[in-house]
Amino acid sequence: MIPRRTLRSAVALTVGSLLLVGVSACGSDSGSSGKGGKLTTVSYRGPFVTSGGDAPIYYAEKLGYFADEGLKVTIRDSKGSGQTITDVNAGGSDYGMAAPVNLVLAVGQGQSVTSVATPLGLSSFGFFVPKDSGITSIKQLSGKKILVTASAQANVFAALAAEGLDKSSVHLVVSDPTTLSTAYVGSKGVDAVYTTQFLAPTMAKRPSSFLPQSEAGYNPPDYAVLVKRSKLAADPGQVHGFVRAVLRGYQAAQKDPQAAVDALLAKHPELNPAQATGTLKATLPFYCAPGQLEQPYGINANRDWVITANAMKTYAGLPGATNGSRFYANDLFSGKDPLSVATC
């Protein structure tokens, strides 16, 4: 396992060596691009209720990265990755951002979606435990009560298995996703909560330490850009341009987090500025996973997708093959016109 410090250094190099070139020409719908052409309006749905983690998308919009690709983007939020995936599969949104675990399960259920990039390749998920609990490793969760959402139970079992624990060794307490943080903060009856480290600012009222599942060897990619397979086949040029703009936005947000948050707050003034900034900064160490090092930023790391699929087969009954390419397409990073981005 590559130390987190090494990953942070690699991410810093990604920003420092940023090189993004090329423009995708698209049809007209409304507005005009920086090149004077018409913009095609497309829709994007995020992974959850709008937060600081969405700032890179808004920053990409503000900096004109989507317009550079001939696109005007309508940005929507979501009630969770499941809703986003279903919406994209049904054609309600052209693009989405979702947790790959959910995407894997959706593909297993017959939804025709695929990941075209993973801007956050290192898993941010793991366990928050109270600082005064004395728990310093996932292995020490044996016999404890863990708060979790219903959809994340299989992921918890996989993370425990990576540390040699059987799923029967813990007691799960199921919570609604929208009240997960408050349930953990307000309850002394649970010993831990399984969620993303991005929610650290919301855990402040119950001082906690975080135990990353990636350090136990279980690293499902964190968040992926998804599209319907038929759209990728029909208009790879537009998909190519959209993904390039998104990756540029993430890298620009890492270089200037406050400017990215300002772009978000300009569209969502109801958000708490300090919390939005904290959430965005919490994402910064998760841009690149070990399997992406020396690879183009955003590329889908096959090993991590296979590990994820195998875990879902074991703990969630995923039907069919677990080869990574069933769930992602790296076409945009190869071929005659590959995405030109810096490496992790």
Side-chain angles (χ1 to χ4, degrees):
M1 178 62 61
I2 297 177
R4 188 177 298 279
R5 181 173 56 188
T6 302
L7 291 173
R8 286 194 178 117
S9 300
V11 171
L13 289 174
T14 298
V15 174
S17 61
L18 177 62
L19 178 62
L20 292 141
V21 297
V23 174
S24 173
C26 300
S28 64
D29 197 36
S30 63
S32 61
S33 72
K35 303 294 183 180
K38 294 294 184 179
L39 298 181
T40 295
T41 298
V42 297
S43 53
Y44 161 86
R45 189 177 290 279
F48 204 57
V49 175
T50 303
S51 73
D54 298 295
I57 304 296
Y58 288 87
Y59 199 33
E61 179 188 39
K62 180 179 179 179
L63 293 175
Y65 293 160
F66 291 114
D68 287 346
E69 304 295 344
L71 301 174
K72 179 180 179 181
V73 181
T74 300
I75 305 172
R76 306 163 175 164
D77 67 359
S78 173
K79 293 181 179 179
S81 291
Q83 182 192 42
T84 297
I85 294 167
T86 299
D87 185 43
V88 172
N89 181 68
S93 294
D94 297 297
Y95 302 95
M97 186 82 72
V101 169
N102 296 75
L103 190 152
V104 165
L105 293 173
V107 170
Q109 294 166 358
Q111 297 195 55
S112 185
V113 292
T114 190
S115 166
V116 284
T118 49
L120 296 174
L122 182 65
S123 176
S124 70
F125 279 77
F127 304 86
F128 281 100
V129 295
K131 285 188 175 180
D132 59 4
S133 66
I135 300 172
T136 58
S137 71
I138 292 175
K139 190 178 289 289
Q140 290 177 298
L141 291 174
S142 179
K144 305 299 184 182
K145 290 184 179 179
I146 301 174
L147 200 63
V148 62
T149 62
S151 63
Q153 292 180 80
N155 227 24
V156 169
F157 296 146
L160 294 172
E163 284 282 17
L165 295 179
D166 184 81
K167 65 180 184 179
S168 63
S169 63
V170 299
H171 307 285
L172 298 188
V173 179
V174 178
S175 171
D176 183 271
T178 59
T179 59
L180 187 68
S181 296
T182 54
Y184 169 71
V185 169
S187 174
K188 300 299 182 181
V190 293
D191 305 294
V193 60
Y194 178 84
T195 187
T196 171
Q197 191 172 352
F198 303 162
L199 294 183
T202 69
M203 304 292 180
K205 292 183 179 179
R206 189 178 186 185
S208 300
S209 301
F210 186 73
L211 309 175
Q213 63 184 13
S214 62
E215 292 188 358
Y218 178 55
N219 185 64
D222 211 53
Y223 280 103
V225 180
L226 66 139
V227 68
K228 197 167 183 177
R229 283 189 175 272
S230 59
K231 184 172 182 64
L232 176 60
D235 199 350
Q238 185 192 100
V239 179
H240 189 283
F242 181 86
V243 173
R244 177 163 45 222
V246 168
L247 296 181
R248 291 180 73 186
Y250 269 87
Q251 293 182 85
Q254 187 182 55
K255 188 174 182 179
D256 193 343
Q258 190 56 57
V261 170
D262 289 344
L264 168 68
L265 294 176
K267 296 295 182 70
H268 288 278
E270 75 280 4
L271 296 178
N272 180 295
Q275 194 169 95
T277 300
T279 300
L280 174 60
K281 288 185 175 180
T283 72
L284 301 184
F286 298 95
Y287 277 34
C288 294
Q292 293 173 304
L293 295 182
E294 306 304 323
Q295 300 294 315
Y297 170 59
I299 197 169
N300 294 285
N302 183 69
R303 178 179 179 275
D304 291 339
W305 283 93
V306 171
I307 286 174
T308 303
N310 283 332
M312 292 306 102
K313 193 174 191 70
T314 300
Y315 298 106
L318 175 73
T322 58
N323 55 296
S325 57
R326 182 186 179 193
F327 312 102
Y328 72 80
N330 272 337
D331 310 45
L332 306 182
F333 296 93
S334 60
K336 294 181 179 179
D337 183 26
L339 275 172
S340 188
V341 295
T343 58
C344 278

